[in-house]
Amino acid sequence: MNQVELLSDRVSAVQLDGRRNRELQRRERIFDDNVRTIGVDKDALDHQVKELREKDQRQANEFKIYADELLCSDRVACVLEQRQKKDERLLNEAIVQFRQQFQQPASRREFDLNDPELLKKQEGVRILPGLPGEDLAQKDRLRKQQEQLRAWTLQQQDELERAKQQLHQEMHQYDQSRLALDNRALELQKMEDQSKKAAAIATKDFNLALAAEITNRHLQEHHEEEENNQTDILNQLNGDLLMENPEQNISVLGLSRLRKDYYKGMSAKELQQYTQYQLQQAEDRKRAVMEQREKELQEHHERMTSTRAALLLERQHARINKELRRAMDNTNARLAQTHDAQKKHLQDVYTNIPDERYFSQFNTSSR
């Protein structure tokens, strides 16, 4: 007999293969620890990743700030170094210029001994052959040295005198400027004292005027207050409160209402009615006390009766519970014996130990 394959069978087979393949892929995803995502706290992992990124960003910002500070410090150091080099160069140039202007070799005392042009400067003087080292111009040289020393001394005295005169002139100018400043300070102090005095006088006048105005206002207020007090006293004396007008007790809400602020006490009739009302209340209170006492005695009797009945019922329940507990103990003992016999029978019958094949049949599906 020929087998005929239907379209529905083919579709079912294709669907079955697809489900089988999806089940195999799902099983691989679930049982593979490297790619499994089920059972993992994704929110916690995302939070950890976010914290790591924030930490890296914070460290990068701190490193950038530190690098900027280093660059700024390097720039400042370079500027200071250039400024120091410039100051040193200017100082060296000033020293060289000072030496060129005021420390010429020709101004030294021993320059005549080391003058390379000494022989050219000597006119008509010749050293005889055979007498090397003889100083024929010693007297002339000593005389010139003394003249030069005298000239230097005079020049130093003139410079010292000019310096003293300049110092004296500067001190005189300083004294004049101090005197001018002191005079100006005195004038300013005098002007300030005058302005303070004028301000004090103006303040005093204003305070006096203000005090007079306040005094007048207080006197006027006191006078008005005295007049108001006298008027109030007259009104109180002639008013309904002190005159004890009986009509003032009646309220605007009706004759049965009284005004609390104008009430002066009860009349004789009202006192008699109030006394009768109090006596009636005392009798009613005594009758209520007697009724309450009778009710409490009746409740106590009922409570004692119910307590006695409850005690008898509790004893009966205790006796029934004791019998039930004894029957339950007997039943538990029989069940324990049956359980021990069954356990011993199972230990004698089932002696096989489960191996790896028994445990491999579990956890084989992803569902």
Side-chain angles (χ1 to χ4, degrees), residues 9-146:
D9 297 337
R10 188 181 299 173
V11 172
S12 300
V14 171
Q15 292 178 355
L16 182 61
D17 292 337
R19 285 197 300 271
R20 187 179 293 109
N21 293 329
R22 287 195 297 271
E23 180 65 23
L24 292 174
Q25 294 176 2
R26 177 181 172 84
R27 188 182 302 171
E28 291 177 357
R29 288 196 306 270
I30 291 176
F31 292 104
D32 192 356
D33 296 336
N34 296 324
V35 298
R36 183 176 59 189
T37 58
I38 297 177
V40 178
D41 192 355
K42 189 174 182 299
D43 295 335
L45 296 178
D46 294 339
H47 183 67
Q48 292 178 359
V49 172
K50 183 179 179 181
E51 287 182 351
L52 290 176
R53 290 179 180 175
E54 291 178 354
K55 182 178 179 181
D56 295 339
Q57 184 66 27
R58 187 166 56 254
Q59 291 179 356
N61 295 333
E62 292 177 356
F63 180 75
K64 184 178 179 181
I65 294 171
Y66 179 70
D68 295 337
E69 291 179 354
L70 285 179
L71 291 175
C72 182
S73 302
D74 293 339
R75 295 193 188 97
V76 172
C78 292
V79 171
L80 293 176
E81 185 178 2
Q82 292 177 1
R83 186 178 299 173
Q84 184 179 2
K85 289 182 180 179
K86 182 178 179 181
D87 294 340
E88 291 178 356
R89 180 172 55 80
L90 292 175
L91 180 62
N92 293 329
E93 290 179 357
I95 292 173
V96 172
Q97 186 177 3
F98 177 79
R99 288 175 179 176
Q100 290 178 357
Q101 291 180 0
F102 302 101
Q103 293 183 356
Q104 293 290 336
S107 62
R108 300 176 183 174
R109 290 184 179 180
E110 66 276 4
F111 179 72
D112 55 348
L113 299 178
N114 300 319
D115 190 3
E117 304 293 336
L118 180 62
L119 297 178
K120 294 181 180 180
K121 294 178 180 179
Q122 293 178 355
E123 297 179 358
V125 179
R126 297 291 184 271
I127 299 177
L128 296 177
L131 298 174
E134 185 178 2
D135 191 4
L136 300 177
Q138 181 179 6
K139 295 181 179 180
D140 190 14
R141 190 181 74 255
L142 292 174
R143 182 179 55 78
K144 289 182 179 180
Q145 288 180 356
Q146 291 176 358

Side-chain angles (χ1 to χ4, degrees), residues 197-208:
K197 187 176 181 181
I201 293 172
T203 304
K204 182 180 179 181
D205 296 339
F206 176 76
N207 291 332
L208 291 174

Side-chain angles (χ1 to χ4, degrees), residues 312-329:
L312 294 175
L313 184 62
E314 184 178 358
R315 290 177 180 177
Q316 185 179 1
H317 287 173
R319 187 168 57 258
I320 294 172
N321 290 332
K322 186 175 181 181
E323 294 176 358
L324 291 175
R325 190 162 49 250
R326 187 181 299 109
M328 187 180 295
D329 292 339

Side-chain angles (χ1 to χ4, degrees), residues 221-235:
E221 291 177 355
H222 181 70
H223 182 67
E224 292 177 355
E225 186 177 359
E226 289 292 337
E227 291 181 353
N228 294 330
N229 291 335
Q230 291 178 1
T231 305
D232 190 14
I233 290 171
L234 292 175
N235 293 331

